[in-house]
Amino acid sequence: MEILLANPRGFCAGVNRAIQIVDRALELFGAPIYVRHEVVHNRHVVDDLRARGAVFVEELDEVPDAATVIFSAHGVPIAVRQHAAARGLSVFDATCPLVTKVHMEVKKYSREGMEMVLIGHAGHPEVEGTMGQVEEGMMYLVSTVADVATLTPRNPEKLAYITQTTLSMDDTAEVIVALRQRFPQIQGPKKDDICYATQNRQDAVKSLAPEVDILLVVGAPNSSNSSRLAELGGRLDTPTYLIEDASQLRRDWFAEVSKIGISAGASAPESLVKGIIEQLQAWGASVPRETAGVEEKVIFSLPLALVQAQSRRQEAGQASGEAV
Ligand code: 10E
Ligand code: SF4
């Protein structure tokens, strides 16, 4: 059996930054560091950080006074920021800068007195965070072309759309066409707010899936971007499995298979891909081959407050002659 690896796959710049923020906070301030929601949607990442002293909570009520709390990469509603400030909690924000960019668009439209349509999935934390940038009733959520027909904006001439960052490129394009048909004056980004990492991983799966007999997508079921990759593989008629790690592999999937494709969502560590390759090799697969793909060079800097805290710590260490 041959293994072909999708390129790019795995961690994006926003996930790298979010994990580093929790990591640095633990290093600088010690445990416990509270994290609102899974910092990224991956159980292995969360378990590793938990083992080092991170405490994951869903709401700020679960965070004790005077604690340090980190907001997950998916972003938070304004009300959550206000709640944290009112309680005097020390906050580090791991919201991906590309999600923050969408929040800024929302604030701009809101200042211009516009209503908005968010294309996204109900209940997802990024959707809750983006909807929570404006007062209730100012933003409508749609997921499908059919949803567009149900919209009843107050003034169709003052309407804009924004999107979740991790959607299917193809589905979103269709919803945008439907919005533009129904509301010709609707404003929005040139195309959508789907991020570079989501687009690149979907493009990679699009070119890999037709080449292989089976596609494995490493990621969690609650990870939107990973689920979209698995969905895409299935749509391209390639038997596709979304798996969290090697323990979910089943030998009978590979009975009649000669080429295996592997991709990984933006929140899935490469160590999980390695574990899967090792298991497949134990079942007779050859050395994997990286397929060609775009090279990603995006890096996001850490929050200034965290960088400053680290410099102060280094200076204090140097002054006392301690090795840092
Ligand atoms: O479920 P999502 O794909 O939104 O999140 P994830 O944690 O699996 O991957 C990182 C993506 C983020 C933070 C959303 N832009
Ligand atoms: Fe940021 Fe995109 Fe990664 Fe989400 S998937 S964290 S928007 S880079």
Side-chain angles (χ1 to χ4, degrees):
M1 289 188 297
E2 202 184 333
I3 303 176
L4 302 182
L5 300 172
N7 238 320
R9 63 177 180 279
F11 279 7
C12 60
V15 163
N16 265 322
R17 174 178 181 269
I19 296 172
Q20 266 185 56
I21 290 174
V22 183
D23 210 59
R24 287 293 165 88
L26 281 164
E27 220 173 88
L28 287 170
F29 311 114
I33 294 291
Y34 289 81
V35 185
R36 185 186 179 278
H37 192 70
E38 290 188 333
V39 67
V40 298
H41 288 148
N42 190 278
R43 186 167 51 84
H44 294 274
V45 170
V46 167
D47 286 349
D48 283 354
L49 293 170
R50 188 182 284 122
R52 298 190 41 219
V55 177
F56 290 87
V57 298
E58 279 310 309
E59 291 305 336
L60 292 187
D61 297 339
E62 302 162 61
V63 178
D65 289 341
T68 297
V69 64
I70 293 172
F71 296 150
S72 83
H74 315 93
V76 292
I78 285 179
V80 170
R81 270 179 212 289
Q82 289 170 338
H83 184 186
R87 291 209 32 218
L89 298 173
S90 172
V91 173
F92 292 104
D93 188 1
T95 304
C96 176
L98 297 180
V99 174
T100 302
K101 183 173 156 241
V102 179
H103 292 184
M104 305 305 272
E105 290 170 33
V106 166
K107 285 177 188 150
K108 180 184 90 85
Y109 290 134
S110 168
R111 280 196 301 274
E112 292 167 359
M114 302 185 74
E115 284 188 295
M116 282 155 267
V117 178
L118 170 62
I119 307 173
H121 296 293
H124 189 281
E126 182 181 324
V127 165
E128 285 169 3
T130 301
M131 296 205 66
Q133 300 305 307
V134 285
E135 280 169 35
E136 228 179 295
M138 294 301 289
M139 197 183 289
Y140 307 94
L141 178 65
V142 297
S143 306
T144 61
V145 167
D147 292 341
V148 173
T150 67
L151 288 170
T152 51
R154 291 178 191 88
N155 181 357
E157 285 168 18
K158 289 202 93 178
L159 195 60
Y161 72 84
I162 59 268
T163 81
Q164 197 177 334
T165 54
T166 53
L167 300 176
S168 146
M169 304 283 302
D170 299 333
D171 289 353
T172 307
E174 284 178 15
V175 176
I176 292 171
V177 167
L179 279 171
R180 290 198 182 284
Q181 269 168 359
R182 190 150 173 234
F183 307 109
Q185 304 208 39
I186 196 164
Q187 292 187 32
K190 250 193 212 133
K191 215 167 64 173
D192 52 48
D193 299 300
I194 294 173
C195 75
Y196 81 95
T198 301
Q199 167 155 8
N200 289 345
R201 280 152 193 69
Q202 286 180 21
D203 287 347
V205 162
K206 258 190 195 168
S207 61
L208 178 63
E211 302 288 317
V212 295
D213 305 310
I214 184 173
L215 178 70
L216 305 173
V217 175
V218 189
N222 65 336
S223 165
S224 167
N225 77 87
S226 311
S227 303
R228 300 296 78 80
L229 293 178
E231 192 177 86
L232 182 56
R235 282 182 190 181
L236 294 165
D237 287 334
T238 304
T240 301
Y241 297 93
L242 177 65
I243 53 172
E244 294 192 68
D245 54 38
S247 72
Q248 294 181 340
L249 288 170
R250 286 186 31 196
R251 197 164 187 169
D252 55 304
W253 293 346
F254 306 96
E256 316 240 310
V257 159
S258 63
K259 276 190 185 169
I260 306 167
I262 304 182
S263 177
S267 47
E270 185 64 12
S271 57
L272 300 176
V273 175
K274 264 196 172 159
I276 287 163
I277 293 170
E278 278 165 17
Q279 178 60 77
L280 292 172
Q281 287 184 317
W283 290 342
S286 52
V287 176
R289 180 158 61 84
E290 292 278 353
T291 56
V294 293
E295 192 188 344
E296 292 180 337
K297 292 185 179 158
V298 181
I299 298 174
F300 294 129
S301 53
L302 296 179
L304 189 60
L306 201 56
V307 175
Q308 285 170 338
Q310 190 168 28
S311 323
R312 281 196 298 274
R313 165 84 177 273
Q314 274 167 348
E315 279 162 20
Q318 274 157 6
S320 66
E322 166 194 308
V324 282

